[in-house]
Amino acid sequence: MNDALPKSYDPAGTESRWQQAWESSGAFHPDPSSPGEPFSVVIPPPNVTGSLHMGHAFNTALIDTIVRFQRLRGKNVLCLPGTDHASIAVQTILEKQLKAEGKRKEDLGREAFLEKAWAWKADSGGTIVGQLRRLGYSVDWQRERFTLDSGCSAAVIEAFNRLHEQGLIYRGEYLVNWCPASGSAVSDLEVEMQEVDGYLWHFRYPLSSGDGFLEVATTRPETLLGDTAVAVNPKDPRYAALVGQTLTLPLVGRQIPIVADDHVDIEFGTGCVKVTPAHDPNDFAIGQRHNLPLITVMAKDGSMNKAAGRFAGLDRFEARQAVVAAMEAEGFLARVEPYRHSVPFSDRGKVPVEPLLSTQWFVKTEPLAARCREALAAAAGSDPRFVPQRWSKVYRDWLTDIRDWCISRQLWWGHRIPAWFVVSETGGVITDNTPYVVARDGSEARAKAEAQFSGGTHAHPLLLEQDPDALDTWFSSGLWPFSTLGWPDEQAADLARWYPTSVLVTGFDIIFFWVARMTMLAGAFTGQMPFKDVYIHGLVRDEQNRKMSKSAGNGIDPLLLIERYGADALRFALVREVAGAGQDIRLDYDRKSDTSATVEASRNFANKLWNATRFALMNLGGETPASLGEPDPAALQLADRWILSRLARVNRETAERYDSYGLGEAAKGLYEFAWNEVCDWTIELLKRRLQVPVNLEGAAREAALADQRTARQVLAKLLGELLVMLHPLMPHLSEELWHGLTGEPPETFLALQPWPAVDVAALDDDLEASFAELIEAIRVVRNLRAVAGLKPNQSAPVRFVTGRGELAAVLQEASADITALTRAESLVVLDPAAAEAAPGQRALAGVSGELQVLLPIEGLVDLDALRGRLEKDIAKADREIKGLAGRLANPNFAGKAPPEVVAECQANLAEAEAQAELARRRLADLGA
């Protein structure tokens, strides 16, 4: 016996050994000059602050399945890993550490703070990379990138400069989402809308004429201090005569106009809307249309500023209560009502954002989006191609209605904006009006500044100061598909070989965050879309079908499941759950025991494959698939021809599914084929042929030995190809078993072998259909034996009755196999006429399609005892039928119970009725 495989499967040892072997040998470190069609994936870079969660595990399993398959197909595959510097998250961590020490980042200074950040990154930033390795990611770790590494940083600087030179980056004062917690602007996509319980305060604004008032409602009373108008709809007859008049702003005394604007909803509230252009994006737009002044009443730390008058210095939420109290005291509060509404929260700062006027850097997105829309509408087909296709509309719609992108962040950790302010022009400080130059480095900035400001009225020494702000993290990750491959070096070998990349695998929730930004920037700098396909997957939901989140506390730690069941089991379970591209999946999980029946089933599947391979090693006579060679077609038995036809078909179907992103279908198909057709049937059918009786002599022995070799060849070929097909899904297990089966040296990897060619000649539709009927016939015989109460080693005659000649021929040809698997004392295949003429005999009967199965039992079992069991079964089924039927007839149950409970009751009733009818037929077969 080949003892390469221990008796039991040890996932932890197997997985760590092969992960180390793959990485140390550079198995996944491709050479751009190597042959083979290029195939490339750049993985979505997880935040350097992160730790592995189930979304990472799911995304990794999908990506790795794809790239391992393409590698087996002979392509020159690059799967490039990396991490994102996560500006806000890292800076938040570090500032909390400093606060605990009684310090602020300003106490350290920028350089010392950044040294601390890099030290933190070196110490803690690699956590998630190590965890991703645990999953067996077949990425090129030698090419690992970080969004702040020198190559990516050079790309960011070049991209900023080029966009600025093209007039697509500008600096201006606009309303931005301000996060008081992180002290930075955040983009629309970094804002999460949350439902909160609040109040709607109704206030009276008196007309300056003294002839009454208008009532407005707001959820943010503190902003009324910055009101510069009240707006009504121009079609609203209630206020037509008041448009152009003024109101006196309560608590402030400022005269503000009544303006007419189509934005106002006549049906909402009183039809009057307070307008605070400096604190609301819709009001900002109204203000621009009506040339209203912009009055900012809040500071960037969330407190009220001097323009807030008597409320200056209060926190925004303290000011809210104070303003309400003052309005009530002065008679301006009309009423208050509870109001549940959506409030924008900073995704990172976890506090409500404030729309604030701020001078920031912006990208003009419309010209960039136009390129993407043109590519998507190209005559040759959508570029990129979305899988599922429905997501292309979501992507297109967002590109059609797009705002300019605020790319500056008031942070130190990140890519510092490559702009230098000529502060000598504004008294040595940076103001909103300080002139600036954009450059690739300080030397170029000085040269540009001297050319622009030297001589004349600018004779004083030039003082330059680089913009202290950092770029939005998504700016650098938007360059990821090509910055990681060497751009802006157009001659970089990796860029020339693997760009555009082949597929992006990502969740639907970041189509706007990331996918669209990559396509916009790629179009601008490379003239191509950055990937050919975008495979959109769903979310992993918890055992109650809820979205996993930190706030809900319902996440499932994949590392716990890996420790218990192995990475391959988790990977296979996640992919097998995919019902269709883009669909969410559900993972069952027992939180008390940290167990999952779904992942455990995959671990059981791994054990099944392990045991099947060990069986093969014990029965191949020390030979391998290579030494055994291909079986002679003329020597194949019926079961051999059947399983080799199934093998060829599953090979072709699996390759098509992998190639078209039908990964869940591929996993389910391989599971059914391996467990049922290979392990449960083929191995059982081969067992008797693999053992040659010692008492055989002469020609009989020679024939048995020849058939034994054929059986060995079939078994070796079957397992060898199956392991290749399973490799993308269960890489460690398949690598281990393949080495045990083939005897290949450790440095030769299954991961780098060719995908097996489809044996087209072996395909036989008719045989597969007939053999499926044969298998069902064997199942019926086994069921009848169980009903009769026959002992496992007790033989009994079997009779098959069919009028179909082709089925009869298959049953006759497979008589030896059927006899072995059913312990048939004798096996007879009859046509209906012959069966009718045969002597009567007490028998249990079963039906499979057009085939009648008879199990004569007279003289083999106690018929009276059997009748008694069947009568008990009938009585039990009748009681169950009565109870279920009564329950369904009860209006209180049928009309009020959940639909799924009613459906389950109906299904149980149908099953009980079928069992009762079957038992009655069998009782009738036994006669009196």
Side-chain angles (χ1 to χ4, degrees), residues 788 794 857-869 926:
Q794 188 176 2
I857 55 173
E858 198 163 358
L860 297 177
V861 300
D862 183 337
L863 293 180
D864 289 337
L866 179 55
R867 288 190 190 94
R869 289 204 306 273
L926 296 179

Side-chain angles (χ1 to χ4, degrees), residues 487-650:
W487 188 89
D489 178 4
E490 305 288 352
Q491 306 306 313
D494 285 2
L495 189 70
R497 183 61 165 162
W498 285 299
Y499 186 83
T501 62
S502 303
V503 59
L504 172 73
V505 180
T506 189
F508 65 83
D509 49 340
I510 58 171
I511 289 177
F512 315 132
F513 275 106
W514 193 40
V515 179
R517 283 168 174 166
M518 285 189 285
T519 58
M520 288 193 295
L521 293 176
F525 299 126
T526 72
Q528 302 179 81
M529 291 298 97
F531 19 73
K532 298 167 188 173
D533 293 339
V534 181
Y535 172 48
I536 299 292
H537 61 74
L539 304 174
V540 184
R541 294 187 174 272
D542 72 2
E543 65 279 10
Q544 297 180 36
N545 206 34
R546 299 174 301 173
K547 179 181 177 180
M548 294 186 198
S549 69
K550 288 183 179 179
S551 58
N554 64 334
I556 300 172
D557 185 353
L559 293 173
L560 289 175
L561 295 175
I562 290 172
E563 291 289 343
R564 183 178 293 274
Y565 304 112
D568 277 5
L570 176 61
R571 287 170 53 132
F572 189 82
L574 290 171
V575 178
R576 188 176 169 222
E577 285 295 303
V578 178
Q583 298 299 310
D584 289 352
I585 68 170
R586 179 177 174 181
L587 186 65
D588 72 278
Y589 188 64
D590 186 328
R591 295 181 183 274
K592 294 180 180 178
S593 59
D594 292 325
T595 58
S596 166
T598 302
V599 185
E600 185 174 1
S602 293
R603 167 61 192 274
N604 293 342
F605 179 53
N607 286 335
K608 188 87 167 177
L609 294 167
W610 186 272
N611 292 332
T613 307
R614 288 191 77 250
F615 169 82
L617 295 181
M618 289 187 285
N619 287 278
L620 292 181
E623 294 203 67
T624 65
S627 68
L628 284 164
E630 290 286 323
D632 178 2
L636 296 173
Q637 293 197 15
L638 182 75
D640 300 333
R641 299 199 306 275
W642 165 71
I643 196 60
L644 292 178
S645 178
R646 292 294 303 136
L647 178 65
R649 193 173 308 281
V650 169

